[in-house]
Amino acid sequence: FMKIVIKTKNVKLNLALREYIEKKLNSLEKFLKIFQEKEYLNSFFGKGKPRVEAWVEIGKETLHHRRGNIFRMEAQLRLPGKNIRQVSISKDLKRAITEVKDKLQRELKQYKEKLTSQTKRRARVLKKELKLTPEARFYRKGRIREEGI
């Protein structure tokens, strides 16, 4: 369900490289299951539009003070409400791809935990407010502050 767009610079994109990139990025889908639910932000997306897009740019660069092949990978995940972008520079292209995947995985874990904790917190507050009678709510909010009880 994740759309992956690959752009190259000074590197030939062969089938093996494409499959390697897709394999690494598709391993992140387990963190994106929250966006597969139909009711989650359904109005945010048009019909047929992917909920998560990954824009990947790989290239071979010549940095001024380094010798040999220097590979660079840049990935940007477009999520609802947030964009996550990571860059890695390495002498090995596959190592750069793996480093970017690991960095994206860390950020996705944080983003997912934040979303789930916010919904749990809202549910806790709502449940607490429903349990209290209206007089108790007034007592707790206003009278305690005013009288210092």
Side-chain angles (χ1 to χ4, degrees), residues 6 8 16 22-23 31 36 38 44 53 57 87 128-129 135-136 138 148:
I6 302 174
T8 61
E22 288 177 354
K23 178 182 143 194
F31 301 105
Q36 284 180 322
K38 294 194 187 268
F44 183 76
E53 292 180 339
E57 183 176 337
V87 178
K128 189 175 181 180
E129 290 291 324
E135 296 86 20
F138 175 73

Side-chain angles (χ1 to χ4, degrees), residues 3-41:
K3 179 183 174 185
I4 301 173
V5 179
I6 302 174
K7 180 181 171 187
T8 61
K9 178 182 173 186
N10 299 332
V11 174
K12 186 88 170 175
L13 183 66
N14 54 12
L15 185 63
L17 186 59
R18 174 182 285 279
E19 287 177 355
Y20 185 76
I21 292 171
E22 288 177 354
K23 178 182 143 194
K24 288 293 183 181
L25 290 182
N26 284 333
S27 69
L28 299 174
E29 283 192 358
K30 60 187 171 191
F31 301 105
L32 303 171
K33 285 183 182 176
I34 191 170
F35 301 116
Q36 284 180 322
E37 299 170 6
K38 294 194 187 268
E39 69 271 359
Y40 187 79
L41 291 175

Side-chain angles (χ1 to χ4, degrees), residues 15 26 39 55 73 78 80 93 96 113-114 133 135 144:
L15 185 63
N26 284 333
E39 69 271 359
W55 296 80
M73 175 160 175
R78 292 184 181 171
L93 183 58
E113 287 173 5
K114 183 178 177 181
T133 63
E135 296 86 20
I144 292 174

Side-chain angles (χ1 to χ4, degrees), residues 57-74:
E57 183 176 337
I58 56 172
K60 185 165 72 169
E61 293 189 353
T62 56
L63 296 177
H64 182 66
H65 293 291
R66 292 191 184 178
R67 290 182 173 223
N69 294 335
I70 307 296
F71 294 100
R72 177 177 189 269
M73 175 160 175
E74 177 180 336

Side-chain angles (χ1 to χ4, degrees), residues 80-135:
K82 183 168 183 155
N83 287 345
I84 298 174
R85 181 178 175 275
Q86 289 296 334
V87 178
S88 178
I89 298 174
S90 178
K91 288 191 174 188
D92 182 24
L93 183 58
K94 290 189 176 184
R95 185 174 177 193
I97 293 169
T98 308
E99 285 177 5
V100 166
K101 192 242 352 163
D102 292 341
K103 291 177 184 178
L104 286 173
Q105 183 174 341
R106 244 178 276 132
E107 281 204 41
L108 279 173
K109 279 183 185 177
Q110 290 176 352
Y111 182 59
K112 184 179 176 184
E113 287 173 5
K114 183 178 177 181
L115 282 178
T116 54
S117 66
Q118 283 177 348
T119 54
K120 285 180 182 177
R121 188 180 312 131
R122 288 182 188 128
R124 270 197 309 266
V125 168
L126 181 66
K127 185 177 177 183
K128 189 175 181 180
E129 290 291 324
L130 288 175
K131 281 185 177 180
L132 297 173
T133 63
E135 296 86 20

